[in-house]
Amino acid sequence: AINPLIRITYFARINNDAVTDAGDTLQNSVEATYTHGETAATVTLTETTPVQTVVEPSLGLAKTVANVTNPGNPPQAGDILRYTLTLTAAGGAPGDNFSDAFDVRIEDSLSLGLVYNGNPTVDGAGNTIAAPVTAGDGVTVPQTLAWSLEDGNADIDIVEGTVVSVTYDVQVDNSVLIGQNLSNSVIVRWTSLDGASTLERNGTATPAYNDYFTGPVTANVVVGDNTATTKTRLLDTYGPGDNVV
């Protein structure tokens, strides 16, 4: 008896479009028709794959600031402030609709009076970060900071259900005034695939379904008043015992 096997292998990808999102179910069906060698009858065979559920990455973002120079006190000119970004990836439970987030991009905007001061760090296995791409001087033009895989200064991936922290330092410029609000605002973007790809979903918002971004999240501090006033009586024409001035 002759029992030949014909195997056709092909691949399909989940399309990045406006109608495909986390939780959607996808299935592939096939129909094969052949002529029976003995009876000449037409035979049709059908088969359907198991249902595949679409998963997507989702990140939460929080931002805090600490005065490294004078812990617990309002900032003064010259102080170093340390900002911490906490990125929390949703998921981690078997069968959920979440996945890992890749190639995280950080876009940070400082108000006037804040200048980047180095010491970037990131945790998480395999993650790296270096000095950001900067624009503006923080004195006459507000400074912006950017980290990304494209810029070659960060490679940050976040496994679903885990947390990654990024820290960096900023200095309070000598030009600040008492009571001045110092703000730091950040937007974070990520992708669905690891490494550059024209087929991935990303955080560009173009088209609108490229919605892998969160923020802006802002941390504010106010320049404190460390001035003090002292009054000393140097001369009293009414006598040293007169306390009325």
Side-chain angles (χ1 to χ4, degrees):
I2 299 175
N3 185 24
L5 173 66
I6 300 174
R7 177 179 286 116
I8 300 174
T9 302
Y10 57 96
F11 299 90
R13 63 176 174 82
I14 299 176
N15 198 37
N16 181 27
D17 55 35
V19 297
T20 307
D21 295 292
D24 291 347
T25 56
L26 304 175
Q27 207 166 16
N28 186 2
S29 298
V30 63
E31 181 179 283
T33 303
Y34 69 95
T35 301
H36 196 284
E38 294 181 355
T39 66
T42 299
V43 180
T44 300
L45 303 176
T46 60
E47 187 61 64
T48 302
T49 65
V51 171
Q52 302 295 311
T53 302
V54 178
V55 295
E56 292 190 81
S58 178
L59 295 182
L61 173 62
K63 185 174 200 174
T64 60
V65 56
N67 190 334
V68 176
T69 306
N70 293 295
N73 293 313
Q76 305 291 335
D79 282 358
I80 301 298
L81 306 180
R82 179 159 297 159
Y83 289 92
T84 299
L85 307 181
T86 302
L87 306 170
T88 303
D96 63 30
N97 294 333
F98 299 104
S99 60
D100 301 346
F102 297 104
D103 306 338
V104 170
R105 178 180 180 86
I106 300 170
E107 301 169 357
D108 203 65
S109 299
L110 308 177
S111 66
L112 286 176
L114 294 176
V115 181
Y116 177 71
N117 195 247
N119 296 321
T121 69
V122 62
D123 60 13
N127 289 334
T128 60
I129 194 169
V133 174
T134 62
D137 59 10
V139 180
T140 59
V141 178
Q143 197 169 57
T144 59
L145 319 174
W147 288 274
S148 70
L149 187 66
E150 307 97 286
D151 291 323
N153 56 11
D155 187 355
I156 302 173
D157 302 328
I158 308 176
V159 176
E160 65 162 300
T162 67
V163 178
V164 166
S165 295
V166 176
T167 67
Y168 50 94
D169 292 346
V170 169
Q171 186 170 38
V172 180
D173 189 71
N174 288 332
S175 63
V176 298
L177 303 175
I178 293 172
Q180 180 176 335
N181 183 66
L182 304 176
S183 66
N184 184 337
S185 180
V186 65
I187 295 175
V188 168
R189 308 178 194 274
W190 60 94
T191 67
S192 60
L193 301 177
D194 194 11
S197 172
T198 59
L199 304 176
E200 66 188 0
R201 181 162 291 181
N202 57 47
T204 61
T206 306
Y209 51 77
N210 281 319
D211 55 1
Y212 288 175
F213 61 88
T214 185
V217 172
T218 303
N220 294 290
V221 290
V222 177
V223 177
D225 184 356
N226 63 351
T227 59
T229 302
T230 301
K231 183 176 182 180
T232 302
R233 184 170 60 187
L234 300 177
L235 178 64
D236 187 349
T237 58
Y238 294 96
D242 189 351
N243 289 321
V244 180
V245 178

